[in-house]
């Protein structure tokens, strides 16, 4: 997403959080307890900012935004009487956040909000996500959220991943880090310093010169 789109979405997320906390004061304790959460301000309609028929949201860890997400494959059950809903997904621990970022969290066709538990790839390893659906007025709903699938989107200002190492360019870091990177194939091998190359070439030239002089001396000496 572009920076201006992220800014608009973030403002909508903040407004949604303020509205939900005002309507449901007990939410403040929940937000403080969990490791992270994702907030989707408007589900069930095309986004006025980004377009499309699915929802966009923002992901937080320890209260700080870490990226954005799209929600797709929604069933018609997400809309109750045609109204637009907001959704909050709580992540109990870091594993749950990483599962969400890796696209391992999806809700089954018969899943419902509030009592929902998300599992990754049919396992219970990441069954630490809980979804809550709210009306635009902030009222908690037990809506059908069947068929939801999520895609995590890093922020546009996130450091670029270079050679598999986020935010680190080739050749940066301590000598040990560069050495480890070279051995593992993560970073290109750092070229030798020109002075070192020159010294090596001079030494080789001296050895060749000595060898040629020795051969010439042997040829010119009288045969016994």
């Amino acid at each position: 997403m572009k920076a201006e789109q992220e800014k608009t979405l973030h403002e909508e997320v903040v407004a949604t959080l303020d509205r939900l906390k005002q309507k449901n004061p007990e939410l403040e304790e929940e937000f403080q307890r969990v490791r992270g959460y994702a907030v989707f301000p408007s589900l069930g309609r095309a986004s006025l900012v980004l377009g499309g028929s699915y929802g966009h949201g923002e992901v937080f860890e320890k209260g700080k935004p870490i990226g954005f997400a799209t929600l797709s494959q929604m069933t018609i059950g997400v809309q109750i009487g045609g109204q637009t809903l907001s959704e909050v997904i709580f992540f109990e621990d870091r594993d749950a956040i990483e599962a969400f970022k890796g696209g391992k969290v999806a809700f089954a066709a018969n899943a419902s909000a509030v009592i929902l538990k998300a599992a990754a790839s049919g396992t219970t390893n990441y069954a630490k996500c809980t979804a809550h659906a709210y009306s635009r007025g902030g009222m908690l709903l037990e809506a059908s959220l069947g068929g939801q699938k999520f895609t995590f989107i890093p922020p546009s200002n996130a450091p670029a991943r270079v050679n598999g190492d986020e935010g680190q360019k080739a050749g940066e870091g301590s000598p040990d880090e560069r050495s480890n990177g070279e051995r593992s194939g993560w970073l290109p091998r750092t070229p030798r310093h020109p002075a070192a190359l020159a010294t090596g070439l001079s030494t080789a030239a001296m050895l060749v010169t000595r060898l040629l002089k020795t051969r010439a001396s042997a040829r010119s000496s009288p045969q016994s």
Side-chain angles (χ1 to χ4, degrees):
M1 290 191 295
K2 297 181 180 179
E4 57 268 23
Q5 294 174 328
E6 294 176 348
K7 180 177 182 294
T8 302
L9 179 57
H10 176 73
E11 291 174 350
E12 190 175 355
V13 166
V14 171
T16 299
L17 287 174
D18 290 342
R19 184 180 69 251
L20 294 180
K21 291 178 181 180
Q22 184 176 3
K23 185 69 175 182
N24 307 273
E26 69 279 2
L27 271 179
E28 185 63 46
E29 183 179 348
E30 186 72 3
F31 281 115
Q32 295 295 329
R33 184 187 64 81
V34 297
R35 173 77 182 208
Y37 49 90
V39 181
F40 295 86
S42 303
L43 302 183
R45 66 169 173 84
S47 171
L48 297 178
V49 179
L50 303 173
S53 58
Y54 45 81
H56 294 80
E58 190 168 16
V59 184
F60 297 79
E61 184 174 3
K62 293 185 176 180
K64 297 181 179 180
I66 60 172
F68 301 89
T70 61
L71 184 157
S72 59
Q73 299 181 7
M74 291 187 300
T75 65
I76 193 66
V78 77
Q79 299 185 62
I80 300 178
Q83 66 176 305
T84 303
L85 306 181
S86 299
E87 182 175 338
V88 180
I89 303 174
F90 293 104
F91 307 115
E92 294 291 329
D93 54 26
R94 182 170 179 81
D95 285 343
I97 295 178
E98 292 302 316
F100 184 87
K101 291 168 64 176
K104 298 179 180 179
V105 173
F107 298 158
N110 61 348
S112 297
V114 183
I115 59 173
L116 183 77
K117 296 293 183 181
S121 303
T123 71
T124 58
N125 293 339
Y126 299 103
K128 296 181 180 180
C129 304
T130 305
H132 292 192
Y134 299 88
S135 67
R136 292 294 287 177
M139 183 177 64
L140 185 63
L141 302 171
E142 288 202 40
S144 170
L145 301 178
Q148 289 189 355
K149 182 175 177 60
F150 306 93
T151 302
F152 179 78
I153 305 172
S156 59
N157 61 352
R161 296 182 66 87
V162 180
N163 295 318
D165 190 5
E166 185 173 355
Q168 183 179 18
K169 295 182 180 180
E172 291 183 351
S174 65
D176 289 340
E177 290 171 343
R178 290 197 299 270
S179 177
N180 291 337
E182 290 173 1
R183 286 196 297 270
S184 63
W186 290 349
L187 297 174
R189 187 175 297 278
T190 304
R192 295 182 180 276
H193 192 278
L197 291 175
T199 301
L201 292 175
S202 298
T203 302
M206 292 175 59
L207 292 175
V208 171
T209 301
R210 289 179 181 177
L211 178 61
L212 292 176
K213 287 182 177 181
T214 301
R215 288 184 177 180
S217 177
R219 291 174 181 173
S220 60
S221 62
Q223 298 288 334
S224 57

